[in-house]
Amino acid sequence: MLTRNPHLARLKSRYLFSEIGRRRREFADAHPGVRVISLGIGDTTEPLVAPIVAAVRERAAAMGTREGYAGYGDEQGLTALRQKIAEVVYRGQVAPEEVFVSDGCKCDIGRLQLLFGPAAHLAVQDPSYPAYVDSAVITGMTGDLIEARGQFAGITYLPCHADNGFFPVLEAIPHRSLVYFCSPNNPTGAVATRAQLTQLVTAVRERRGVLVFDAAYSAFIRDEGLPRSIYEIPGAREVAIETSSFSKPAGFTGVRLGWTVVPRDLRYEDGAAVHDDFNRIVTTVFNGASVFAQAAGLAALGPDGLAATRRQIDHYMGNARLIRETLEQAGFKVFGGVNAPYLWARIPGKTSWEAFDELLYQAHVVATPGSGFGPAGEGYLRFSAFAHREDVEEAIGRLRRVFAKPGS
Amino acid sequence: MLTRNPHLARLKSRYLFSEIGRRRREFADAHPGVRVISLGIGDTTEPLVAPIVAAVRERAAAMGTREGYAGYGDEQGLTALRQKIAEVVYRGQVAPEEVFVSDGCKCDIGRLQLLFGPAAHLAVQDPSYPAYVDSAVITGMTGDLIEARGQFAGITYLPCHADNGFFPVLEAIPHRSLVYFCSPNNPTGAVATRAQLTQLVTAVRERRGVLVFDAAYSAFIRDEGLPRSIYEIPGAREVAIETSSFSKPAGFTGVRLGWTVVPRDLRYEDGAAVHDDFNRIVTTVFNGASVFAQAAGLAALGPDGLAATRRQIDHYMGNARLIRETLEQAGFKVFGGVNAPYLWARIPGKTSWEAFDELLYQAHVVATPGSGFGPAGEGYLRFSAFAHREDVEEAIGRLRRVFAKPGS
């Protein structure tokens, strides 16, 4: 028999959300009839808005006709959708042909890892979305797991914590790194300012690296002064790839639609365009997003779709405000939840998993252990605003009871 | 700036179908108003059948309701769909949890390459579907391109030609190879017999290799004696992965839905289950097929869906018969097209691209140059049966005129 890919063998055996699921099932088995409310995984809960439903139904009907049927499309996505993303999301700051439509950020991250090969050095925020590191491990960009630290050799982790305002010390970024940076941040809910992103772009450029900017939560930014795309920063086109998604702003977590922007100005050391290689990767190991998902995406970016999804985002941000107020009233230090759908709460004197279990067993509420996103997340819980309103209300009622301050 | 993944740099600069597109555009620019008929790329042309359209429309409506909305599903696919595939396609020969639902074979092939790592030795049929080799090149499993041969160092090419009945000499498979094998074959249309597949499974097992069996065209098999799945062969569960698709049998090339079976019995050298690693890859760099595509797949495997798609396959196989008769009457030696939607025609005295250009410029018909699938395809053209009937009739009329034998 063949041997196992040695890179795969390095992966930790259990993924964060699987472990949460396991603990939930264990609790449910021991406490039948108790209703657990999840403010854990960042999965959308509100139905697709009417203009999107109508568009998919129309596209489905058309696919049943000779005139409307479509087989293989361009792997990079429908021209109309690439144009719409360039125009509506980027206001012309990127060209349509720089937009690669995909079946989601997570899948694109796996494909992006192939661009620079096993020799590239990875730098990630700590805490961060686990897929950046896990997909890099699979493609051989890292060393072994250092069990004691819960980190992989060969990766530079950039701690983001309350003391540095969740923005890393940029001097720690090694030369020639592939730097993953997420803003609004999953999990901390922090949003980098224009000044910070300008520093980041400068730092990556000076170090002759490449930045992968994860903008999957940009639609949740309310403060008009905060950048929603890395391409609002001068010079970013020469150093940054941006990956983003319809998942959270339009509820497409099951629909599967995202995109990645690779500007023509981004070059390898030898002057070749990274764009050309990403195009080659996409055409070789991908075959385009579903025609139904792309129809849904076009509708989401139309005037009716934008208005309706904006109301849905308002709903989630209303949830975020309620959760934030409750946690603050309970005496916790809370970050995020203002321009991001995630709240990052410091739980003093407990590990993240201890806090997770306490919340599950006392309040029957699920949050995500911060340590699952990296060592700097230890002692935090991530709360997600993706929930039905009555569930949030029920959850915060339970939280208030459990965390009621003595004497209050 | 970062350096380019050295593996990517090895890829040939242009993909087969892009080059066909380029030559078509060149022809169209020089001959405005001339209608070109494509029997080239294997892309379905007939509309989705009614039960599938209805299912997608229903799922879309449900996604607009609180009760019917679904966010992230299991990365491996809906349980109901995995069960349906195991039951309908495999008649219980595989377990539902061995079925990984995906957005298509091509994408799965990219993910499969990660299982065994860069050190695995690749063996492929020559000719073969280019994605096997190209995705292996990207993941570093090969050496450099040997320009003179049009082949990559580090890959064993197994010639399949008329003299060996398009079934390779199995003794040429090196020990510990990852062997890609496609039946019904793209591009040759050859279908391996039960005896041949038994020999193949034995050969791969004896060499302690792993077989990736591409069954994307199995629904086109009409001869009841021919195996439709590698798991019909005793012992295959211990050596073979099977990848397959709804693309061709149900017209899902734009819908995007396929699957890969990784049996629990398939083990690495160290005894670990390959299944567990594929599960880890799928959960790390994939996020499930679109909820709409999966609804479509469930409908395709229901009784109405099966009956309707079977009629569609009959239609395509009727096309295959017409094309085959025409090419044979024109004096060409033709293979395939009986249990496969592809026909493989030997064009004497010409290279594949010469024959392609001649067909394009004289008959205004596009076929696919056989050499694009590997050196052993040189001198052949692949004709695809995926077309509207009147286009096939028009195309064969043109072929008859162009290839009319003098005096006939």
Side-chain angles (χ1 to χ4, degrees):
Chain A
M1 291 299 127
L2 292 185
T3 55
R4 192 178 185 192
N5 180 349
H7 309 318
L8 264 176
R10 288 198 181 99
L11 273 181
K12 281 179 278 189
S13 61
R14 193 177 275 131
Y15 189 66
L16 174 60
F17 294 107
S18 317
E19 175 62 15
I20 292 174
R22 196 189 65 74
R23 294 193 186 209
R24 274 189 72 159
R25 282 189 298 276
E26 196 172 278
F27 174 84
D29 290 346
H31 303 81
V34 173
R35 180 163 170 262
V36 172
I37 295 175
S38 178
L39 303 176
I41 186 167
D43 192 6
T44 47
T45 57
E46 303 309 300
L48 293 185
V49 298
I52 294 172
V53 170
V56 176
R57 284 175 59 81
E58 195 181 312
R59 194 72 195 85
M63 286 287 283
T65 67
R66 269 184 70 153
E67 301 66 36
Y69 178 75
Y72 291 120
D74 291 336
E75 292 93 342
Q76 306 87 345
L78 293 171
T79 302
L81 183 54
R82 301 173 84 185
Q83 285 170 344
K84 202 85 179 160
I85 291 169
E87 169 199 325
V88 175
V89 180
Y90 294 102
R91 300 164 194 221
Q93 281 163 328
V94 307
E97 56 274 21
E98 295 175 324
V99 177
F100 294 84
V101 175
S102 76
D103 58 336
C105 273
K106 189 178 167 192
C107 316
D108 270 344
I109 290 165
R111 289 184 280 263
L112 283 171
Q113 305 287 26
L114 300 171
L115 281 173
F116 307 99
H121 181 89
L122 201 73
V124 296
Q125 288 166 286
D126 172 21
S128 70
Y129 177 51
Y132 308 142
V133 166
D134 286 359
S135 59
V137 172
I138 290 179
T139 42
M141 294 169 68
T142 73
D144 286 331
L145 176 69
I146 304 161
E147 290 281 354
R149 294 214 315 262
Q151 296 184 326
F152 287 90
I155 296 182
T156 300
Y157 293 85
L158 305 167
C160 295
H161 41 65
D163 292 347
N164 61 16
F166 300 97
F167 188 78
V169 175
L170 300 176
E171 286 68 29
I173 300 175
H175 274 250
R176 297 172 190 269
S177 295
L178 179 61
V179 183
Y180 277 86
F181 193 93
C182 177
S183 176
N185 192 262
N186 175 14
T188 68
V191 187
T193 63
R194 192 170 302 274
Q196 287 174 328
L197 291 185
T198 303
Q199 290 163 27
L200 177 64
V201 164
T202 303
V204 174
R205 189 215 309 271
E206 282 173 358
R207 285 163 180 76
R208 306 180 75 76
V210 169
L211 175 63
V212 177
F213 189 76
D214 182 343
Y217 298 94
S218 64
F220 294 84
I221 292 178
R222 291 310 166 86
D223 182 339
E224 286 301 323
L226 293 170
R228 291 169 184 231
S229 162
I230 196 66
Y231 302 117
E232 295 182 32
I233 308 302
R237 288 180 53 85
E238 288 137 48
V239 293
I241 290 165
E242 179 162 307
T243 185
S244 196
S245 176
F246 287 89
S247 285
K248 307 305 162 78
F252 279 22
T253 48
V255 171
R256 311 303 315 137
L257 195 70
W259 71 86
T260 288
V261 176
V262 184
R264 298 276 335 164
D265 305 342
L266 182 67
R267 302 277 161 170
Y268 291 111
E269 183 77 28
D270 67 358
V274 175
H275 181 278
D276 293 343
D277 273 358
F278 194 62
N279 191 60
R280 190 64 203 261
I281 289 170
V282 164
T283 53
T284 304
V285 299
F286 183 56
N287 232 333
S290 174
V291 65
F292 301 125
Q294 294 195 70
L298 273 170
L301 294 179
D304 296 349
L306 282 171
T309 54
R310 178 151 291 264
R311 286 192 293 275
Q312 208 161 61
I313 293 170
D314 288 342
H315 159 82
Y316 290 128
M317 293 312 289
N319 289 347
R321 196 171 49 248
L322 289 171
I323 299 168
R324 187 177 168 116
E325 286 166 5
T326 304
L327 292 171
E328 284 180 338
Q329 281 161 15
F332 296 107
K333 184 78 186 146
V334 184
F335 305 91
V338 179
N339 290 291
Y342 295 122
L343 299 104
W344 190 241
R346 180 89 185 90
I347 313 295
K350 294 197 176 64
T351 69
S352 294
W353 281 109
E354 284 166 1
F356 171 90
D357 283 336
E358 191 173 299
L359 202 66
L360 174 59
Y361 281 79
Q362 293 185 18
H364 314 149
V365 169
V366 168
T368 306
S371 58
F373 299 98
E378 185 60 274
Y380 285 89
L381 285 178
R382 186 192 76 173
F383 289 83
S384 158
F386 295 110
H388 295 316
R389 179 59 51 87
E390 67 270 26
D391 286 344
V392 170
E393 286 170 349
E394 170 67 24
I396 63 179
R398 295 181 188 178
L399 293 174
R400 284 204 186 101
R401 284 191 293 280
V402 169
F403 294 116
K405 288 184 217 163
S408 70
Chain B
M1 291 297 127
L2 293 184
T3 54
R4 192 178 185 193
N5 179 349
H7 310 318
L8 263 177
R10 290 199 181 97
L11 273 181
K12 281 179 278 191
S13 62
R14 193 177 273 134
Y15 189 66
L16 173 60
F17 294 106
S18 317
E19 175 62 15
I20 291 174
R22 195 189 64 74
R23 294 194 186 209
R24 274 189 72 159
R25 281 189 299 275
E26 196 173 278
F27 174 84
D29 290 347
H31 302 81
V34 174
R35 180 164 170 261
V36 172
I37 295 176
S38 177
L39 302 176
I41 186 166
D43 192 7
T44 47
T45 56
E46 302 309 300
L48 293 185
V49 297
I52 293 172
V53 170
V56 176
R57 284 176 58 82
E58 195 180 314
R59 194 71 195 86
M63 286 288 283
T65 68
R66 270 186 69 154
E67 302 66 36
Y69 178 76
Y72 291 120
D74 290 336
E75 291 93 341
Q76 306 89 344
L78 292 172
T79 301
L81 183 54
R82 302 174 83 185
Q83 285 171 343
K84 202 85 179 161
I85 291 169
E87 170 199 324
V88 174
V89 181
Y90 294 103
R91 298 161 197 227
Q93 280 164 328
V94 308
E97 55 274 21
E98 295 174 326
V99 178
F100 294 84
V101 175
S102 76
D103 57 336
C105 275
K106 189 178 167 193
C107 317
D108 270 344
I109 289 165
R111 289 184 280 263
L112 284 171
Q113 306 287 28
L114 300 172
L115 281 172
F116 306 100
H121 181 89
L122 201 72
V124 296
Q125 288 166 286
D126 172 21
S128 70
Y129 176 52
Y132 309 143
V133 166
D134 286 358
S135 59
V137 171
I138 290 180
T139 43
M141 295 169 69
T142 73
D144 286 331
L145 176 68
I146 304 161
E147 291 280 356
R149 294 215 314 263
Q151 296 184 325
F152 287 91
I155 296 182
T156 299
Y157 294 84
L158 305 167
C160 295
H161 41 65
D163 292 346
N164 61 16
F166 299 98
F167 189 77
V169 174
L170 299 175
E171 287 66 30
I173 300 175
H175 274 250
R176 298 172 189 269
S177 294
L178 179 62
V179 183
Y180 277 85
F181 193 92
C182 177
S183 176
N185 192 262
N186 175 14
T188 68
V191 186
T193 64
R194 191 170 303 274
Q196 286 174 329
L197 291 184
T198 302
Q199 290 163 26
L200 177 64
V201 164
T202 303
V204 175
R205 189 215 308 275
E206 282 173 359
R207 286 162 180 76
R208 307 181 73 76
V210 169
L211 175 64
V212 177
F213 188 77
D214 182 342
Y217 299 93
S218 65
F220 293 84
I221 293 179
R222 289 310 165 86
D223 181 339
E224 285 300 322
L226 293 170
R228 292 171 184 229
S229 163
I230 196 66
Y231 303 116
E232 295 182 32
I233 307 302
R237 288 180 53 85
E238 287 138 47
V239 294
I241 290 166
E242 180 163 305
T243 186
S244 196
S245 176
F246 287 90
S247 285
K248 308 304 162 82
F252 279 22
T253 48
V255 171
R256 310 304 316 138
L257 195 70
W259 71 85
T260 287
V261 176
V262 184
R264 297 277 334 166
D265 305 343
L266 182 66
R267 302 277 161 170
Y268 292 111
E269 183 79 30
D270 67 359
V274 175
H275 182 278
D276 293 343
D277 274 358
F278 194 63
N279 191 60
R280 189 62 203 261
I281 289 171
V282 164
T283 53
T284 304
V285 298
F286 183 56
N287 231 335
S290 174
V291 66
F292 301 125
Q294 294 195 71
L298 273 170
L301 293 179
D304 295 349
L306 283 171
T309 55
R310 178 152 293 263
R311 285 192 294 275
Q312 207 161 63
I313 293 170
D314 288 344
H315 159 81
Y316 290 127
M317 293 311 288
N319 290 346
R321 197 170 49 248
L322 289 172
I323 300 167
R324 187 176 169 116
E325 285 166 6
T326 304
L327 292 170
E328 284 179 339
Q329 281 161 16
F332 297 107
K333 183 79 186 144
V334 185
F335 305 93
V338 179
N339 290 290
Y342 295 121
L343 300 103
W344 191 240
R346 180 90 186 90
I347 313 296
K350 295 198 175 62
T351 69
S352 294
W353 280 110
E354 284 167 1
F356 171 90
D357 283 336
E358 191 173 301
L359 202 68
L360 174 59
Y361 280 79
Q362 292 186 20
H364 314 148
V365 168
V366 167
T368 306
S371 58
F373 299 98
E378 185 59 274
Y380 285 88
L381 284 178
R382 186 193 75 173
F383 289 83
S384 159
F386 296 109
H388 295 315
R389 180 58 52 86
E390 67 270 25
D391 286 344
V392 170
E393 285 169 349
E394 170 66 22
I396 63 179
R398 295 182 189 177
L399 293 174
R400 282 203 187 102
R401 284 191 292 279
V402 169
F403 295 115
K405 289 182 218 166
S408 70

